[in-house]
Amino acid sequence: MARSHAEWKQLAAELKIEGRAFINGEYRDAAEGKRFDCVNPANGAKLAEIAHCGEAEVEAAVKAARRAFESGVWSELAPLKRAAVLKRFAALIREHADELSLLETLDVGKPIGDTTAVDVPASAYCVEWFAEAIDKVGGEVVPVDPKLVGLVTREPIGVVAAVVPWNFPILMASWKFGPALAAGNAVIVKPSEKSPLTAIRIAALAKQAGIPDGIFQVLPGAGDVGRLLALHMDVDCVAFTGSTNVGKLIAGYAAQSNLKRAWLELGGKSPNIILPDCPDLARAARAAASGIFYNMGEVCTAGSRVLVHKDIKERFLEEFKKAAAGFFPGDPLDPATSMGAIVDDIQYRKVLNYIDKGLSEGANLLLGGKAVHTDKGLFIEPTAFDCPSDDLTICREEIFGPVLSVITFSELDDAIRIANDTSYGLAAAVWTSNVSTAHQVSRRLRAGTVWVNCYDEGGDMNFPFGGYKQSGNGRDKSLHALEKYTELKSTLIKL
């Protein structure tokens, strides 16, 4: 049953928030009681004090994870039994959906309509999907000399550290721990210090579901925790989602230590190409607005560059402005709100600085461009620029906020060149009525996901997610994600 604005506010007032780390099956404070404040970006209110983990907690968690993994209590559990536990975990996430949605909304400023409809349900679905996959993925019997039996099997990699971002805290975490747990690993989740609440809460749900102590742990804290996990000689794999700059550091730490597997899902500057034979300009404009303003633009696949053909530019911009009018910041606890708050003051200032940069470099402001002044809230208007060239800073760098760059082109080859002229390669889109053009353009775009006549569609788990170039390596989602958390073993038996 849908709740009203008043009901969500009442629930928020009554909410009890857990802020301790979860290590070896129990909540505990950090050494010496170190804590940091968790603040609601929509109003500046302090939500909770969170355990500030450090070296002592990392050592305790890794030791517990190694012990639990080596015991076989999870890694050697029959696939059907492991699947049953993960299905219970997914069911508990659904059972506590309102609480988790509320935690997510308060923690990072997301609209409650989004967390209830997308973030939490999609997280439960992810865990359930990988639970269903556990007993569907087998090995190989290799054709060899008849005097031999040759087997190829996949085994869990061991202790997995999942360092996850603040823009989709519970969802991005589930994309890591879902397949990692399904494969039989022990997992340590390090949530962003900007968004620790849902990860901390679901740790108790994991235990309630039957996941053994030491197999699922959560270490809130600053960047040092991620660095210590990536450097740790007894961590076998680090999976990271976040900025490209930090991803490079994580890869370096992995290389400096035990050459642990390092899987990186990083930044993007995704192009959304509107060709003159676009089948529905109004729909393309609505998709473009949603592609950059959804989740306040704090999305790695955000369609932050719209490349529009000169012949249809004016008509497109008219439709885009109409669509953008449907996005305006408001109280995240109001189900009618379409845009929430920017996650924290650091990101807020960063986005405003990029807007100033666009103006100073000669971009034409089409809409927005200002902070929305509320009582201590961090809100920014949906913003779009018409850019005289693709060399402007706002056209080149990932802003991670509600700021769109519109770039004009006259020839298809120019559009492809501009689209690919970036260090990133996470996602892209093309709008055309010609199926041959759609195939040709999608092949030429250097991106891990290409949408045709839509943007950011396909929320199911069957599609691998990840990017080319400096958008990272490896893939989240799909059966390909299971591969990341396993090692291949060849076994030859002489008869």
Side-chain angles (χ1 to χ4, degrees):
M1 183 179 68
R3 296 184 185 275
S4 68
H5 188 189
E7 287 172 327
W8 283 116
K9 290 176 72 173
Q10 181 63 34
L11 283 175
E14 299 169 352
L15 186 65
K16 295 181 179 179
I17 297 176
E18 176 61 72
R20 293 174 293 173
F22 193 82
I23 300 172
N24 199 25
E26 64 180 13
Y27 286 113
R28 63 172 74 172
D29 290 316
E32 302 175 3
K34 289 181 66 177
R35 299 185 181 95
F36 63 93
D37 289 345
C38 180
V39 175
N40 182 346
N43 58 19
K46 177 179 170 180
L47 295 168
E49 292 184 352
I50 309 300
H52 197 305
C53 294
E55 187 171 1
E57 289 71 44
V58 169
E59 289 299 327
V62 173
K63 183 177 180 180
R66 176 59 60 191
R67 183 169 58 246
F69 176 74
E70 297 292 350
S71 75
V73 66
W74 183 251
S75 60
E76 296 178 13
L77 195 64
L80 280 174
K81 291 183 178 180
R82 199 159 68 238
V85 173
L86 288 181
K87 288 176 187 176
R88 285 198 295 272
F89 188 17
L92 285 168
I93 291 174
R94 288 195 178 97
E95 184 180 325
H96 292 266
D98 280 358
E99 177 192 2
L100 294 169
S101 297
L102 188 55
L103 286 171
E104 204 86 316
T105 289
L106 295 173
D107 202 1
V108 294
K110 286 173 170 281
I112 194 71
D114 291 345
T115 56
T116 53
V118 178
D119 299 65
V120 174
S123 301
Y125 164 56
C126 174
V127 175
E128 188 175 61
W129 194 93
F130 282 106
E132 293 284 359
I134 290 175
D135 62 341
K136 311 298 189 299
V137 180
E140 306 167 28
V141 178
V142 180
V144 291
D145 186 293
K147 296 184 178 63
L148 295 171
V149 174
L151 305 175
V152 177
T153 53
R154 286 195 175 274
E155 299 181 355
I157 198 168
V159 176
V160 174
V163 183
V164 298
W166 49 260
N167 60 329
F168 290 89
I170 190 173
L171 182 55
M172 294 298 97
S174 71
W175 283 13
K176 309 297 187 193
F177 69 70
L181 289 172
N185 297 287
V187 179
I188 302 169
V189 176
K190 191 278 170 186
S192 169
E193 61 273 23
K194 301 181 183 187
S195 58
L197 298 185
T198 49
I200 293 171
R201 178 65 183 99
I202 64 170
L205 301 182
K207 179 166 184 172
Q208 185 179 342
I211 293 177
D213 293 350
I215 295 297
F216 187 90
Q217 303 177 89
V218 177
L219 299 181
D224 277 356
V225 178
R227 178 179 61 82
L228 289 168
L229 288 167
L231 283 169
H232 205 290
M233 296 296 291
D234 214 19
V235 172
D236 302 295
C237 171
V238 58
F240 171 79
T241 294
S243 72
T244 294
N245 288 337
V246 176
K248 290 178 179 179
L249 294 175
I250 293 288
Y253 299 147
Q256 291 169 35
S257 54
N258 56 349
L259 210 62
K260 59 176 62 65
R261 306 295 182 264
W263 304 114
L264 311 171
E265 197 278 285
L266 308 175
K269 194 67 179 175
S270 300
N272 188 2
I273 304 171
I274 319 295
L275 295 179
D277 65 342
C278 171
D280 187 335
L281 213 53
R283 183 160 62 88
R286 291 194 297 271
S290 177
I292 185 60
F293 301 139
Y294 174 73
N295 204 56
M296 298 70 71
E298 297 169 340
V299 184
C300 54
T301 56
S304 53
R305 293 184 295 155
V306 163
L307 282 54
V308 60
H309 193 275
K310 62 182 180 60
D311 291 349
I312 59 169
K313 176 181 177 180
E314 294 307 317
R315 287 189 293 133
F316 172 80
L317 289 180
E318 287 177 11
E319 295 293 344
F320 177 79
K321 289 176 182 178
K322 293 177 189 176
F327 292 88
F328 195 86
D331 184 354
L333 289 176
D334 186 347
T337 293
S338 58
M339 284 182 72
I342 303 299
V343 67
D344 69 358
D345 190 65
I346 295 172
Q347 187 65 18
Y348 175 75
R349 297 295 171 191
K350 176 184 174 183
V351 174
L352 291 177
N353 285 338
Y354 271 113
I355 291 173
D356 289 342
K357 192 79 169 176
L359 292 169
S360 67
E361 292 184 359
N364 177 35
L365 185 65
L366 296 171
L367 56 89
K370 297 178 182 177
V372 179
H373 297 288
T374 63
D375 184 25
K376 298 182 180 179
L378 304 174
F379 299 92
I380 295 175
E381 294 177 330
T383 300
F385 286 97
D386 184 3
C387 298
S389 78
D390 63 319
D391 292 330
L392 276 63
T393 302
I394 58 172
C395 300
R396 312 291 303 175
E397 298 182 9
E398 185 178 37
I399 298 172
F400 227 63
V403 182
L404 176 68
S405 298
V406 178
I407 303 165
T408 310
F409 69 91
S410 56
E411 301 293 338
L412 178 58
D413 285 348
D414 288 335
I416 301 297
R417 176 189 59 78
I418 294 168
N420 288 335
D421 185 19
T422 172
S423 59
Y424 300 111
L426 191 55
V430 59
W431 295 75
T432 177
S433 296
N434 189 309
V435 68
S436 294
T437 300
H439 280 289
Q440 290 165 3
V441 173
S442 66
R443 288 177 181 175
R444 295 175 65 187
L445 290 169
R446 300 280 293 164
T449 298
V450 177
W451 292 288
V452 177
N453 296 337
C454 60
Y455 201 91
D456 208 13
E457 296 284 345
D460 62 71
M461 295 300 300
N462 293 297
F463 290 96
F465 180 88
Y468 289 25
K469 299 188 281 186
Q470 293 189 47
S471 285
N473 57 31
R475 294 294 185 267
D476 287 324
K477 301 172 61 179
S478 82
L479 294 178
H480 297 284
L482 271 174
E483 299 170 4
K484 300 195 311 186
Y485 302 109
T486 62
E487 293 282 16
L488 280 173
K489 176 175 284 185
S490 296
T491 303
L492 293 92
I493 304 169
K494 190 166 185 177
L495 302 178

